[in-house]
Amino acid sequence: MDLALILLQLAGFAALLLWGVHMVQTGVQRTFGAKLKNLLEGAIRHRMSAFAAGAGVTVAMQSSTATAMMLTSFQAGGLVQLAPALAVMLGANVGTTLVVQVLSFNVAVAAPLLVLAGVVLFRRAQDAPHDFGRVLIGLGLVLTALHSFLALLEPVVADPRSQAALAEIGNYTPLAIVVAAVLTWAAHSSVVTVLLAMSLAAKGVVPVETSVALVLGANLGAAINPLLEGASWSDRKGQRVPLGNLLNRLAGLALVMGLFPFFAPWVERLGPSPARALANFHTLFNLALALAFLPWIRTYARLIARMLPEKPGEAEPGSPVYLDPEARDTPALALAAATREALRMADTLEEMLKGLKEALHSAKKSAIDAVKEMDDVLDRLNSAIKAYVISIPPAGMTDADHQRMAEILTFATNMEHAGDLVDRNLLSVASRKLKRGVSFSPEGEADLVRLAERLAANVRLAAQVFVSGDEKAARVLVAEKEAFRAFETEAVDAHFQRLRSGNRNTVDTSSLHLDALRDLKRINSHLVEGSAYPLLQSRGELLPSRLRALDGTAAAFARKGRRR
């Protein structure tokens, strides 16, 4: 077979493998995303639980790189320190070897069944089963790609010229390690390289010594991808976890290389066949690294932090600015710091609403992506604020402090929920409009823009109520719920009138327009529930089913909203 054609087919199977892994990751994130995130978030407080969680999440995600990306977001949000993050990565490396252990058996026969089951779930089911269908399809594609990739290589490695080249590579162990590392980096998968090494050893194409070198190179290459594709090099804090992961791999590699003449005979005794022996060596190598680094992981983390110190003034957009750990012993100061941080969430939400107007109007995907990034900031700030306030020692807190802590948590949670509505619902409306190639009618778009602008003003009002405790402003904000309800009713009526008149744009975007109106109203409800309701309830001004009689200013404001 022509070499160029073989290389093209190998590239195609590598692409299929990457797509299969992508489908598994997205399917797992959609089906179990919150549970996996909570698992990591809850486990990172202890090195052993962090190690176990890293292994479990990586097996589920089929990628240690995906685990590394989750850790990076936790670090940016101030939820995880470097030491437990490195422990998670040690577990992730072991989790990858467990995937190899499973795939080393003849599981390719299950690929068609996995794809069939996945397609049925994806097309017929809803919600979680629908998303789990993506996982099964992805697993089927991964198994198919791996089997085809290795099968295509068989005639290549059987060629005398290829065997001669492999023998030359095997005669120089560092070259074999470099070749395997480059292959792993190119394929974005250490699994491919390790399975290839096992296949070559099983067929007697290369000796066990060369196969061990290929496995070591696969481990090195797997640590390179997160370093190159994770956080940018300008973000030193974000590069610490992948750098720490790479350096512990290099340390293990150097140790094995120093004792290489003694390792080959020992590796051969690890299994009944060369292939099983290599799979077991791959697992034991990563377990040994974990056992070597876990006991002094905090010291190792300090070393990595010294190697990559933060630049003066360097901070990620979602990194907390005001949450001073030293202030927690003084609850009043700590709660004031948390209040300032929560106000950053309000500022971010206001910016999201401004960007939403552009996303609804524009035909550019970049406008949607820009707002999505801001939702990540909200998520990180919310997580950081929660972790901070619940860590304040309760012994020194007064009743007023406890009440203020509840208000901060309520405000932050509702800001985050409002951001989720923008990200998952309203940006979805903009995205679907873009994919369908349709546009809102000028009148319909004007209604949405007017509501988004009014929401931005209400975000500022909610922040004022949250900080000042102004009861009059709180009543005005509550009155906005009724004003929004009236505005939505008028906008829906106008929309149906345009439908009846046969407006082409209105017909094309009817469901999108109605979804957007509903979600904008829900965002306004979160603003009210996050600031005005807690204040009025604490002062006995909120009845179980309705607000006490509105004062003149608030009532006039509500009537003005209806006229708009």
Side-chain angles (χ1 to χ4, degrees), residues 304-318:
I304 298 298
R306 284 200 196 96
M307 294 175 64
L308 285 177
E310 291 188 57
K311 296 178 182 178
E314 178 184 19
E316 285 291 299

Side-chain angles (χ1 to χ4, degrees), residues 26-360:
T26 54
V28 168
Q29 287 170 347
R30 294 177 186 180
T31 309
F32 308 108
K35 294 180 180 178
L36 288 178
K37 190 174 181 180
N38 292 337
L39 172 64
L40 270 184
E41 188 175 336
I44 55 181
R45 299 177 184 178
H46 188 273
R47 69 186 75 180
M48 292 307 298
S49 60
F51 171 80
V57 170
T58 300
V59 169
M61 300 283 286
Q62 299 282 295
S63 171
S64 57
T65 302
T67 306
M69 295 302 101
M70 292 178 69
L71 286 175
T72 300
S73 68
F74 284 166
Q75 266 205 300
L79 283 178
V80 57
Q81 298 299 315
L82 181 58
L86 291 172
V88 171
M89 284 310 301
L90 289 172
N93 296 335
V94 173
T96 302
T97 73
L98 299 180
V99 175
V100 172
Q101 291 281 1
V102 173
L103 295 180
S104 63
F105 296 98
N106 186 23
V107 292
V109 294
L113 296 177
L114 289 172
V115 174
L116 175 62
V119 169
V120 170
L121 287 177
F122 190 80
R123 292 178 62 88
R124 302 292 183 184
Q126 300 291 330
D127 302 325
H130 169 84
D131 294 328
F132 189 66
R134 293 178 63 91
V135 178
L136 296 180
I137 295 172
L139 284 174
L141 294 180
V142 167
L143 295 179
T144 300
L146 285 172
H147 177 75
S148 302
F149 193 95
L150 296 174
L152 186 62
L153 283 175
E154 286 188 4
V156 177
V157 298
D159 187 279
R161 292 169 296 180
S162 299
Q163 292 184 4
L166 288 170
E168 287 296 322
I169 293 174
N171 290 333
Y172 187 53
T173 302
L175 179 59
I177 292 174
V178 171
V179 169
V182 171
L183 176 61
T184 301
W185 167 78
H188 282 64
S189 173
S190 62
V191 174
V192 171
T193 308
V194 174
L195 290 178
L196 174 61
M198 293 165 57
S199 177
L200 294 175
K203 291 177 171 59
V205 176
V206 297
V208 173
E209 292 88 344
T210 303
S211 299
V212 170
L214 293 175
V215 171
L216 292 174
N219 279 275
L220 179 62
I224 293 174
N225 277 325
L227 194 66
L228 297 180
E229 300 180 10
S232 65
W233 278 103
S234 60
D235 177 15
R236 296 187 179 185
K237 188 175 181 181
Q239 286 288 353
R240 288 175 181 172
V241 171
L243 178 64
N245 185 45
L246 175 64
L247 291 181
N248 74 53
R249 296 288 186 98
L250 286 172
L253 177 62
L255 178 63
V256 174
M257 287 296 295
L259 301 173
F260 198 78
F262 306 98
F263 263 94
W266 176 76
V267 170
E268 286 182 308
R269 294 195 293 268
L270 290 178
S273 66
R276 294 302 315 158
L278 285 173
N280 294 335
F281 168 73
H282 183 40
T283 300
L284 290 174
F285 174 75
N286 283 280
L287 278 174
L289 283 180
L291 291 174
F293 278 86
L294 278 174
W296 62 291
I297 197 72
R298 297 187 186 282
T299 304
Y300 182 55
R302 287 194 291 269
L303 175 63
I304 298 298
R306 284 200 196 96
M307 294 175 64
L308 285 177
E310 291 188 57
K311 296 178 182 178
E314 178 184 19
E316 285 291 299
S319 299
V321 175
Y322 303 109
L323 303 183
D324 181 8
E326 302 298 326
R328 286 180 294 187
D329 292 332
T330 308
L333 293 178
L335 293 172
T339 298
R340 295 182 70 187
E341 206 68 62
L343 289 176
R344 290 184 62 205
M345 295 185 69
D347 293 338
T348 303
L349 179 60
E350 185 178 351
E351 288 300 315
M352 288 181 72
L353 291 169
K354 291 178 181 177
L356 174 65
K357 292 192 299 180
E358 175 65 19
L360 291 172

Side-chain angles (χ1 to χ4, degrees), residues 345 377-387 409 412-413 416:
M345 295 185 69
V377 173
L378 272 185
D379 292 341
R380 293 168 185 169
L381 287 176
N382 181 47
S383 297
I385 291 170
K386 285 182 179 178
L409 291 172
T413 299
E416 196 261 343

Side-chain angles (χ1 to χ4, degrees), residues 10 14 47 60 69 111 145 175 366 373 414-415 418 438 497-498 549:
L10 287 174
R47 69 186 75 180
M69 295 302 101
L175 179 59
S366 57
E373 291 178 2
N414 278 277
M415 291 296 108
V438 296
Q497 288 176 10
R498 291 192 297 273

